[in-house]
Each structure stands twice: as structure tokens, then as C-alpha cells.
Amino acid sequence: MSDIATGSDLLWIARGHWEIFIATYLFLGGLSGGAYLTSVVSSEVFRPRARGPDEIFACEETSRWGAIVGVLAIAVGGVALLSHLGAPLRALTFPVLFTNFGSWLVIGTWFIVLFALFVTIEAFWLLFGEEHAGSEGLSYVPRWIVAWIDDVLPLPEGWSIVAALDWLADRLRPTERARRVVHAVGSVAAVGVIVYTALLLTDVSVVPLWDRQYLPIVFLMSGPSTGISAALLGTVASGGGLSRTNHLFCLADDALIAVETVTLVGLLVALSSGSPAGEQSYDLLVNGAYFPHFAVGVLALGLVVPFGLSMTMTGLVRFTDIEHRWGAAFTGGFALKYVLVLAGGFLLRYTLLFGAVKQPLGVP
């Protein structure tokens, strides 16, 4: 039975049994793809144009944080997705059982597998190899953990896991040209992971909230936005909050937020003047049970406030020299913006799932 009020001439269809794990997966999938894209852009676009050691440091930290976040997010998101399945181990047989290549479920599964491979390799190359031995930066935490394991394990004298990983990374590291090809293919897989879930949802034509015109654009903006926020949050923690790299990514994030906001407003307008189920979803998100999550959490705190905060700081940086006199305040401001974007990104997926209402059946 539905928990929506029943009309006298409409039969409301019961909702699906969505759980928090699916919302978590949708959020982490988009975030992981966006973090990888952030890492690639930092390596391929910003790092070659970096001016001075501080800017180079910020670019490299952003690249590493993007790859690390991408690996962690797709790993945790994958566990969240599998935990929702009745027979999770059967999903591991997807190369044999998933043969319907016209389904976004099958296409998305292959995107996930390919993306997980590319982002793991990228993180490995960015953390290990002789060029990284002795390097500094908070993003080297995974390397420090492996070195700690070296110290506590009773390994034979002369054996070292870090040294072995450095040796392997150096021998697997491709040329710069081949690395660009890897980045290009990995980026395609990342975009696929970001957007396929939206296309999968829009196949359910009886849910107006999962609108085919608006939802893919929302996911395509929100995924990179949360990915940038997660990766740059690491860069800010590493001391790169006042770097040009952070400013450029912050402005790119603002553009994504602006498009996402306009698209969500368009979706709400379409829902409010559409079918009965669309109006029910509109009421749930704007006036009803999910008002705190969507109107306050997503629109106000997840989009409008971060955009306004970023524009204010950008204006002050552009027209004054207050950034260097109030460096701690600006660093805290950037960190706050990124945290709000991440919280808003999760609540967006949560409300898109739990605010979904199926079209009712007409009762003659």
C-alpha cells in the first residue's frame, strides 16, 4: 500500500522498497567519477601550466586526492550497491549472466568495472614509484600506511612492500602519450558511471520525478561538482586552499552548481504543472515530508549558499588583497563550501529516491 493519500478516483501504486544504501551508491558513484575527472584535469591541464613550486604542489595534491577519493568512493559505493541485492555474489558473474547489452543496468555494470580498474591504476601511479619516495603531502597517507605495515610485519631483512610497489609502478608506468590515452578512456568510463544511473532511473516512465529531460543533466552536473569538492577538500587540508588551482576548480564548480540549480528549478516547474504523481512529488519536496531535505538541504545549503560563498570569496580575491591577510578565514570558507556541496549532493540522491511517486491508475 502507498503512504500517499488516496483519492476517490485514483488508485495510487505502492512505492518501491528503496533503502538508504541505494541513495548512498548513487551519491558515491557520481562522486567517484567526478573525483577522477578532477584528478585528470589537474594532471593534464593545470599541472603543465603551474607557476612556481606552491602551485605545482597544489596541482599534484589535487591529482592524488582525486584518484584516492575515486578509489574509496567506488569501493564503498560498490559494497552499498551489493548489500541491496538479494544474492550479491551472483552479481560477480555479470560477464556471463549479464547479456542484455541494451539495458542501462548491464551497460552501467561494465562502466563500473572499467572505471574501478582505471581509477585504481591512476592512484597507484600517483602514489608509488621512485619519484614519489620521500615526497611530502597529506595525500601520501596511503603510502605512509603501507610503510607502517612494513614496519610492523616480520618481513625478512631487505624486504619491503613499499619498495616492491615502487619497483612495480616504475615498470608499469606508460609514456606521457600513452598516459593521455589512459586518461581519455578512463574519463569516458567516469562519465558513464556518473550518468548511467540517471538514464537507468528515467527508464521507469511511471515516475515523473525521474524525468528524462532533466535528471541526466542534474546527475551530469552534480557528480563532477561533488567530485571536485571531495578532491579539493583534500587539497585545502594539505595547505592548498589559497592556490590558483583551488580558485580555478572552485569557479568550475560554481558553473556546475549554476546549471544544476537551473535544471532542478525546471524540474520542479514541470512537476508542479504535470501529472498527479508529479504534483505529489512536488508537494513532498517543496511543502511536505522532504522539505527539510530538499528545499533546505539541497537547494539552499547545498547549492545557493556554496555558490554565494564562493562568489563572495572570488570577488574579494579579485579586487582586494584580503585573502593573504585573512588566509585562515578563506581556507575555512573554501572547506565549508565543499562540505556543503557534498552534503547537498547526498541529500539530492536521497530525495530523488524517497520523493518519487508512481503514476496512479484511473478508477472508472
Side-chain angles (χ1 to χ4, degrees), residues 334-364:
F334 284 119
L336 176 61
K337 178 204 169 178
Y338 295 139
V339 169
L340 288 174
V341 170
L342 290 171
F346 174 77
L347 289 174
L348 172 66
R349 273 73 172 184
Y350 178 86
T351 51
L352 286 176
L353 284 183
F354 289 91
V357 179
K358 293 180 181 177
Q359 286 281 27
L361 299 175
V363 178

Short mmCIF file of all heavy atoms in Angstrom, two decimals, residues 334-364:
data_model
loop_
_atom_site.label_atom_id
_atom_site.label_comp_id
_atom_site.label_asym_id
_atom_site.label_seq_id
_atom_site.Cartn_x
_atom_site.Cartn_y
_atom_site.Cartn_z
N PHE A 334 36.53 28.01 1.98
CA PHE A 334 36.55 27.02 0.90
C PHE A 334 36.18 25.63 1.44
O PHE A 334 35.42 24.89 0.80
CB PHE A 334 37.94 26.96 0.27
CG PHE A 334 38.23 28.12 -0.66
CD1 PHE A 334 39.28 28.99 -0.40
CD2 PHE A 334 37.45 28.34 -1.79
CE1 PHE A 334 39.55 30.06 -1.23
CE2 PHE A 334 37.70 29.41 -2.63
CZ PHE A 334 38.76 30.28 -2.35
N ALA A 335 36.70 25.27 2.61
CA ALA A 335 36.37 23.96 3.19
C ALA A 335 34.88 23.86 3.47
O ALA A 335 34.25 22.83 3.18
CB ALA A 335 37.17 23.75 4.48
N LEU A 336 34.29 24.94 4.00
CA LEU A 336 32.85 24.95 4.28
C LEU A 336 32.04 24.77 3.00
O LEU A 336 31.07 24.00 2.96
CB LEU A 336 32.45 26.26 4.97
CG LEU A 336 30.95 26.45 5.24
CD1 LEU A 336 30.43 25.35 6.17
CD2 LEU A 336 30.70 27.84 5.84
N LYS A 337 32.46 25.48 1.94
CA LYS A 337 31.74 25.35 0.67
C LYS A 337 31.73 23.90 0.20
O LYS A 337 30.69 23.36 -0.18
CB LYS A 337 32.40 26.22 -0.40
CG LYS A 337 31.71 26.07 -1.75
CD LYS A 337 32.56 26.41 -2.94
CE LYS A 337 31.84 25.95 -4.22
NZ LYS A 337 32.56 26.29 -5.43
N TYR A 338 32.90 23.26 0.21
CA TYR A 338 32.99 21.90 -0.30
C TYR A 338 32.19 20.92 0.56
O TYR A 338 31.56 19.98 0.04
CB TYR A 338 34.46 21.48 -0.39
CG TYR A 338 35.25 22.28 -1.39
CD1 TYR A 338 36.54 22.72 -1.11
CD2 TYR A 338 34.70 22.61 -2.63
CE1 TYR A 338 37.27 23.46 -2.04
CE2 TYR A 338 35.41 23.35 -3.56
CZ TYR A 338 36.70 23.77 -3.26
OH TYR A 338 37.39 24.50 -4.19
N VAL A 339 32.21 21.11 1.87
CA VAL A 339 31.43 20.22 2.75
C VAL A 339 29.93 20.37 2.46
O VAL A 339 29.19 19.38 2.39
CB VAL A 339 31.73 20.54 4.23
CG1 VAL A 339 30.74 19.83 5.15
CG2 VAL A 339 33.15 20.12 4.59
N LEU A 340 29.47 21.61 2.27
CA LEU A 340 28.05 21.84 1.97
C LEU A 340 27.65 21.21 0.64
O LEU A 340 26.56 20.62 0.51
CB LEU A 340 27.76 23.34 1.94
CG LEU A 340 27.78 24.06 3.30
CD1 LEU A 340 27.62 25.56 3.11
CD2 LEU A 340 26.68 23.52 4.21
N VAL A 341 28.52 21.32 -0.37
CA VAL A 341 28.22 20.70 -1.67
C VAL A 341 28.10 19.19 -1.53
O VAL A 341 27.20 18.56 -2.11
CB VAL A 341 29.29 21.08 -2.70
CG1 VAL A 341 29.13 20.25 -3.98
CG2 VAL A 341 29.22 22.56 -3.04
N LEU A 342 28.99 18.58 -0.75
CA LEU A 342 28.93 17.13 -0.56
C LEU A 342 27.65 16.72 0.17
O LEU A 342 26.99 15.75 -0.22
CB LEU A 342 30.17 16.66 0.23
CG LEU A 342 31.49 16.73 -0.54
CD1 LEU A 342 32.67 16.46 0.39
CD2 LEU A 342 31.50 15.73 -1.69
N ALA A 343 27.29 17.45 1.22
CA ALA A 343 26.06 17.13 1.95
C ALA A 343 24.84 17.31 1.04
O ALA A 343 23.92 16.47 1.03
CB ALA A 343 25.95 18.02 3.19
N GLY A 344 24.83 18.39 0.27
CA GLY A 344 23.73 18.61 -0.66
C GLY A 344 23.65 17.54 -1.72
O GLY A 344 22.55 17.12 -2.13
N GLY A 345 24.80 17.07 -2.20
CA GLY A 345 24.82 16.03 -3.22
C GLY A 345 24.21 14.73 -2.72
O GLY A 345 23.49 14.04 -3.45
N PHE A 346 24.50 14.38 -1.47
CA PHE A 346 23.90 13.16 -0.91
C PHE A 346 22.40 13.33 -0.73
O PHE A 346 21.60 12.44 -1.09
CB PHE A 346 24.54 12.81 0.43
CG PHE A 346 23.86 11.66 1.11
CD1 PHE A 346 24.08 10.36 0.69
CD2 PHE A 346 22.96 11.88 2.15
CE1 PHE A 346 23.42 9.30 1.28
CE2 PHE A 346 22.30 10.83 2.74
CZ PHE A 346 22.53 9.53 2.32
N LEU A 347 21.97 14.47 -0.18
CA LEU A 347 20.54 14.70 0.03
C LEU A 347 19.77 14.74 -1.28
O LEU A 347 18.60 14.37 -1.33
CB LEU A 347 20.33 16.00 0.82
CG LEU A 347 20.75 15.95 2.28
CD1 LEU A 347 20.63 17.33 2.92
CD2 LEU A 347 19.90 14.94 3.05
N LEU A 348 20.43 15.19 -2.35
CA LEU A 348 19.79 15.21 -3.66
C LEU A 348 19.40 13.79 -4.07
O LEU A 348 18.25 13.53 -4.46
CB LEU A 348 20.73 15.81 -4.70
CG LEU A 348 20.25 15.72 -6.15
CD1 LEU A 348 19.02 16.59 -6.36
CD2 LEU A 348 21.36 16.14 -7.11
N ARG A 349 20.33 12.85 -3.98
CA ARG A 349 20.02 11.46 -4.34
C ARG A 349 18.97 10.89 -3.40
O ARG A 349 18.07 10.15 -3.82
CB ARG A 349 21.28 10.58 -4.28
CG ARG A 349 22.09 10.57 -5.54
CD ARG A 349 22.81 11.86 -5.73
NE ARG A 349 23.76 11.82 -6.85
CZ ARG A 349 24.55 12.81 -7.16
NH1 ARG A 349 24.53 13.94 -6.43
NH2 ARG A 349 25.38 12.72 -8.19
N TYR A 350 19.07 11.20 -2.13
CA TYR A 350 18.12 10.70 -1.13
C TYR A 350 16.70 11.14 -1.48
O TYR A 350 15.76 10.33 -1.51
CB TYR A 350 18.53 11.21 0.25
CG TYR A 350 17.61 10.80 1.38
CD1 TYR A 350 17.80 9.59 2.03
CD2 TYR A 350 16.57 11.63 1.78
CE1 TYR A 350 16.95 9.22 3.07
CE2 TYR A 350 15.74 11.27 2.81
CZ TYR A 350 15.92 10.06 3.45
OH TYR A 350 15.09 9.70 4.48
N THR A 351 16.52 12.43 -1.77
CA THR A 351 15.18 12.93 -2.05
C THR A 351 14.67 12.50 -3.42
O THR A 351 13.46 12.32 -3.60
CB THR A 351 15.15 14.46 -1.95
OG1 THR A 351 16.20 15.02 -2.77
CG2 THR A 351 15.33 14.92 -0.52
N LEU A 352 15.57 12.31 -4.37
CA LEU A 352 15.13 11.83 -5.68
C LEU A 352 14.59 10.40 -5.60
O LEU A 352 13.74 10.00 -6.39
CB LEU A 352 16.28 11.89 -6.69
CG LEU A 352 16.65 13.28 -7.20
CD1 LEU A 352 17.87 13.22 -8.10
CD2 LEU A 352 15.48 13.93 -7.93
N LEU A 353 15.09 9.63 -4.64
CA LEU A 353 14.58 8.27 -4.44
C LEU A 353 13.32 8.26 -3.60
O LEU A 353 12.30 7.68 -3.97
CB LEU A 353 15.65 7.39 -3.78
CG LEU A 353 16.80 6.90 -4.66
CD1 LEU A 353 17.71 6.00 -3.85
CD2 LEU A 353 16.27 6.16 -5.87
N PHE A 354 13.37 8.90 -2.44
CA PHE A 354 12.27 8.79 -1.49
C PHE A 354 11.12 9.74 -1.81
O PHE A 354 10.04 9.60 -1.26
CB PHE A 354 12.79 9.01 -0.07
CG PHE A 354 13.63 7.88 0.41
CD1 PHE A 354 15.01 7.88 0.21
CD2 PHE A 354 13.06 6.79 1.05
CE1 PHE A 354 15.80 6.82 0.63
CE2 PHE A 354 13.84 5.72 1.47
CZ PHE A 354 15.21 5.74 1.26
N GLY A 355 11.35 10.73 -2.68
CA GLY A 355 10.28 11.62 -3.10
C GLY A 355 9.60 11.16 -4.37
O GLY A 355 8.70 11.83 -4.87
N ALA A 356 10.02 10.01 -4.88
CA ALA A 356 9.45 9.50 -6.14
C ALA A 356 8.06 8.92 -5.89
O ALA A 356 7.86 8.14 -4.97
CB ALA A 356 10.37 8.43 -6.73
N VAL A 357 7.12 9.30 -6.73
CA VAL A 357 5.74 8.80 -6.65
C VAL A 357 5.36 8.25 -8.02
O VAL A 357 5.56 8.91 -9.05
CB VAL A 357 4.77 9.92 -6.25
CG1 VAL A 357 3.34 9.37 -6.19
CG2 VAL A 357 5.17 10.53 -4.91
N LYS A 358 4.79 7.05 -8.01
CA LYS A 358 4.37 6.44 -9.28
C LYS A 358 3.03 7.01 -9.74
O LYS A 358 2.18 7.38 -8.92
CB LYS A 358 4.24 4.93 -9.11
CG LYS A 358 5.54 4.21 -8.86
CD LYS A 358 5.29 2.72 -8.69
CE LYS A 358 6.59 1.96 -8.41
NZ LYS A 358 6.34 0.52 -8.18
N GLN A 359 2.85 7.04 -11.03
CA GLN A 359 1.58 7.49 -11.59
C GLN A 359 0.44 6.61 -11.07
O GLN A 359 0.55 5.38 -11.08
CB GLN A 359 1.63 7.41 -13.12
CG GLN A 359 2.46 8.46 -13.77
CD GLN A 359 1.73 9.79 -13.85
OE1 GLN A 359 0.86 10.09 -13.04
NE2 GLN A 359 2.07 10.60 -14.83
N PRO A 360 -0.65 7.22 -10.62
CA PRO A 360 -1.79 6.40 -10.16
C PRO A 360 -2.58 5.85 -11.34
O PRO A 360 -2.49 6.34 -12.47
CB PRO A 360 -2.62 7.42 -9.38
CG PRO A 360 -2.34 8.72 -10.07
CD PRO A 360 -0.89 8.65 -10.50
N LEU A 361 -3.36 4.81 -11.03
CA LEU A 361 -4.23 4.24 -12.05
C LEU A 361 -5.60 4.88 -11.94
O LEU A 361 -6.09 5.13 -10.83
CB LEU A 361 -4.35 2.72 -11.85
CG LEU A 361 -3.05 1.92 -11.94
CD1 LEU A 361 -3.32 0.46 -11.60
CD2 LEU A 361 -2.45 2.04 -13.33
N GLY A 362 -6.20 5.19 -13.05
CA GLY A 362 -7.54 5.76 -13.02
C GLY A 362 -8.57 4.71 -12.67
O GLY A 362 -8.50 3.57 -13.15
N VAL A 363 -9.52 5.04 -11.79
CA VAL A 363 -10.58 4.11 -11.39
C VAL A 363 -11.87 4.51 -12.10
O VAL A 363 -12.36 5.62 -11.90
CB VAL A 363 -10.79 4.14 -9.86
CG1 VAL A 363 -11.92 3.20 -9.47
CG2 VAL A 363 -9.50 3.78 -9.15
N PRO A 364 -12.38 3.65 -12.95
CA PRO A 364 -13.59 4.01 -13.70
C PRO A 364 -14.81 4.19 -12.77
O PRO A 364 -14.87 3.62 -11.71
CB PRO A 364 -13.79 2.83 -14.65
CG PRO A 364 -12.89 1.75 -14.20
CD PRO A 364 -11.90 2.30 -13.25
#
